[in-house]
Amino acid sequence: MKAPELTTLCYLEKDNKYLMMHRVKKENDINKDKYIGVGGHFEYGESPDECLMREVFEETGLTLTDYRARGIITFIYGEDVVEYMHLYTADGFEGEIGDCDEGELVWIDKDKVMDLDIWEGDKIFFDLLMKEQPYFSLKLVYSLEDELIDVRLDGHHI
């Protein structure tokens, strides 16, 4: 059995838009063709905040100046993938957006996000973000066919 993965996931906010990454550049990508936030895997010894700052800079070229932790997402995919994603939003940053080797970075109107090719469970946490839900724990279990088969919010089925 493989150890769980530890990651960060951040949605930068500006002018009522989210910065999204359209994952079109990597081969064998579980997120291929989907729109997701920016972030990635912890390096040894990093805190969630340190991972967040590094990954956002590496993927966007931006330095975060104001962000907040919004929740923890337990993402389970089939029998092999268990990932604990620390979810953040950020509305303070500086620098210029550069090229990303993992996907195309695009600003998307918040009211258009649900129309994108996103994971079904992402719609749940976007709804929680829009409602300003206090820090939450969301568990999303997917089949290998990308079907969302179990959802729990703060330990309760929804």
Side-chain angles (χ1 to χ4, degrees):
M1 183 178 295
K2 195 166 97 169
E5 300 174 34
L6 301 174
T7 63
T8 56
L9 178 63
C10 185
Y11 290 92
L12 282 72
E13 301 175 285
K14 180 178 83 171
D15 301 328
N16 209 34
K17 296 179 181 187
Y18 284 124
L19 183 62
M20 306 283 288
M21 182 188 302
H22 189 198
R23 295 288 292 239
V24 293
K25 294 186 178 179
K26 286 176 72 174
E27 293 297 318
N28 302 317
D29 184 357
I30 193 171
N31 294 303
K32 184 163 179 48
D33 295 328
K34 291 191 178 349
Y35 286 83
I36 63 170
V38 295
H41 292 84
F42 282 46
E43 290 183 353
Y44 182 80
E46 278 186 322
S47 70
D49 291 6
E50 290 167 329
C51 178
L52 168 73
M53 297 287 289
R54 178 185 52 76
E55 283 286 348
V56 168
F57 183 76
E58 287 177 3
E59 293 183 354
T60 68
L62 300 173
T63 300
L64 295 182
T65 58
D66 191 25
Y67 60 88
R68 66 185 171 135
R70 303 300 297 273
I72 182 92
I73 300 169
T74 303
F75 175 86
I76 299 174
Y77 186 81
E79 300 292 319
D80 294 330
V81 175
V82 176
E83 186 174 332
Y84 299 110
M85 294 184 288
H86 296 262
L87 178 65
Y88 291 86
T89 54
D91 60 7
F93 45 88
E94 54 192 27
E96 296 294 324
I97 294 179
D99 285 335
C100 179
D101 61 3
E102 297 186 23
E104 301 292 334
L105 296 170
V106 290
W107 289 101
I108 303 289
D109 290 327
K110 288 182 178 181
D111 62 357
K112 303 266 192 279
V113 168
M114 299 296 196
D115 299 331
L116 299 173
D117 185 4
I118 61 176
W119 291 95
E120 195 63 29
D122 290 13
K123 294 177 181 181
I124 297 167
F125 72 68
F126 275 120
D127 186 56
L128 296 170
L129 293 176
M130 297 291 201
K131 292 177 179 172
E132 289 294 325
Q133 175 87 12
Y135 192 90
F136 56 86
S137 174
L138 183 64
K139 181 177 182 182
L140 304 170
V141 181
Y142 288 88
S143 71
L144 291 175
E145 292 77 36
D146 294 354
E147 179 187 356
L148 185 59
I149 56 176
D150 189 19
V151 178
R152 296 170 194 238
L153 177 61
D154 296 328
H156 303 283
H157 283 281
I158 61 169

